[in-house]
Amino acid sequence: MGRGRVELKRIENKINRQVTFSKRRNGLLKKAYELSVLCDAEVALIVFSSRGKLYEFSSAGSMTQTLERYQRSSFSPHDNSTKRETECWYEEVSKLRAKYDSLLRTQRHLLGEDLGPLSVKELQNLEKQLEGALTQARQRKTQIMIEQMEHLRKKERQLGDLNLQLRDKLQKEGENLKAIQDFWSSNSAATGNSNFLHSSQVSHIDPAPEPILQIGYHHYVAAESADVPKSMAMAAETNFIQGWVL
C-alpha cells in the first residue's frame, strides 16, 4: 500500500516544520550534487531558513563565479548597466518613501493623532517614548536653570567685590579730604591769630594829625615864643590877603 499524497501547505506545528525542513533540505542538496556529477552541469543552490540561516551548494566551488555567469547570461551587455541603475534608483526611492511615511506616522502618533489602529502594546511603547522624552526635557530644563543660577551667583560675587573696592576707595578719599580740611583749618587759625596780633599792635600807635580847613580871614598872630620869624609871618599874611581879594 503506497503512501497517501501529502497536501502542500504550511506546517503549523513548529517542531514538525523544523524536522521537515531539515530532511528536505538535505535531500535537495543531495539531488543538486547528483545532478552536477551525473550530467556534468554547473549547479548552484541557495536556501534560507525561516530564521534567516543560509545553506548553499555550488558545483563550481565558488558561488560568486556561478552568480556572475548567471548575470552575464540573463542580461545583454547593453541593457545590463541601465537596468541595474534603474533598479537601484527604484529601490532607493522605495526605501526613502517608506522611511518618510514611517516618520509621518510616528509624528502623528506623538501628537496624539491616528491612535485608533494601534494595539495595546504599541500604545504602551508610545507612552514609554513620551515619558522618556518628557524626562529628557525636564533634565535639560533643570540643567539650564542650574547653569543660569551659577552664572548669576558668579555675577553677584563680582559685583560684591567691586562694591568692596569702591567702598575702600571712597573711604580713602574721605580720609584724604578730611586731612586736607584739617590742614586748611589749622592754617586759617594761625593766619587769624597773626592778623589779630598785628591789628592790636597797630592800634597802640597814635594816628597822624588831620589837616585843618580854614575859610575866611584870620589874623595870624605869632606868639612871642614861636620859632617862626616875623618876616615870614608877614609875607604869608600878605599873600593870603592878596589871594582873598583876587
Side-chain angles (χ1 to χ4, degrees):
M1 183 177 179
R3 295 184 302 174
R5 186 175 181 180
V6 179
E7 184 179 2
L8 294 178
K9 67 177 184 178
R10 183 177 182 272
I11 301 174
E12 298 296 333
N13 190 294
K14 185 176 181 181
I15 297 176
N16 295 337
R17 185 170 63 247
Q18 185 66 27
V19 172
T20 304
F21 172 78
S22 179
K23 291 180 179 182
R24 291 182 177 269
R25 180 201 65 204
N26 294 332
L28 183 61
L29 293 174
K30 182 179 179 182
K31 292 293 183 181
Y33 171 74
E34 291 175 354
L35 179 62
S36 64
V37 173
L38 294 175
C39 303
D40 194 16
E42 184 176 352
V43 180
L45 177 63
I46 300 175
V47 179
F48 286 96
S49 67
S50 59
R51 297 181 179 179
K53 191 173 181 180
L54 172 64
Y55 301 92
E56 63 180 7
F57 168 79
S58 176
S59 61
S62 174
M63 182 64 68
T64 305
Q65 181 179 354
T66 305
L67 292 176
E68 289 177 355
R69 183 177 179 182
Y70 168 75
Q71 290 179 355
R72 289 193 302 268
S73 301
S74 299
F75 305 100
S76 62
H78 178 72
D79 298 335
N80 188 11
S81 60
T82 304
K83 189 172 182 180
R84 183 181 302 174
E85 184 177 1
T86 303
E87 290 179 353
C88 291
W89 280 110
Y90 180 77
E91 292 178 358
E92 187 70 20
V93 171
S94 300
K95 291 179 180 179
L96 292 176
R97 183 176 297 173
K99 188 175 182 180
Y100 175 74
D101 294 338
S102 176
L103 291 174
L104 286 179
R105 185 166 53 254
T106 304
Q107 182 181 8
R108 289 195 300 269
H109 292 166
L110 292 174
L111 294 175
E113 301 175 357
D114 298 339
L115 299 179
L118 298 181
S119 62
V120 177
K121 187 175 181 180
E122 291 176 344
L123 291 173
Q124 290 178 353
N125 294 331
L126 179 62
E127 184 179 4
K128 291 180 180 179
Q129 292 179 1
L130 292 174
E131 289 178 353
L134 182 60
T135 302
Q136 293 180 0
R138 288 176 177 174
Q139 291 178 355
R140 179 57 182 167
K141 183 184 71 174
T142 304
Q143 182 180 0
I144 293 175
M145 293 177 67
I146 292 174
E147 292 177 355
Q148 290 179 353
M149 290 177 63
E150 186 64 25
H151 177 70
L152 292 175
R153 288 175 181 174
K154 184 178 180 180
K155 190 174 182 180
E156 182 182 4
R157 289 194 296 268
Q158 293 177 355
L159 293 175
D161 295 339
L162 181 61
N163 189 15
L164 291 177
Q165 294 177 3
L166 293 175
R167 185 181 298 176
D168 294 339
K169 186 176 180 180
L170 183 61
Q171 186 176 1
K172 291 180 180 179
E173 291 181 355
E175 292 177 355
N176 294 333
L177 181 61
K178 185 177 181 182
I180 294 173
Q181 289 178 352
D182 294 340
F183 176 75
W184 282 106
S185 298
S186 60
N187 288 340
S188 299
T191 305
N193 293 332
S194 61
N195 292 333
F196 177 74
L197 293 174
H198 180 70
S199 61
S200 61
Q201 292 176 359
V202 172
S203 62
H204 292 289
I205 300 176
D206 295 335
E210 297 180 357
I212 300 173
L213 178 61
Q214 294 183 358
I215 300 175
Y217 173 75
H218 295 279
H219 181 71
Y220 178 79
V221 179
E224 293 181 356
S225 62
D227 295 334
V228 181
K230 291 183 177 182
S231 59
M232 292 180 64
M234 291 295 294
E237 184 177 357
T238 305
N239 291 332
F240 181 76
I241 294 172
Q242 292 177 357
W244 180 261
V245 173
L246 293 175

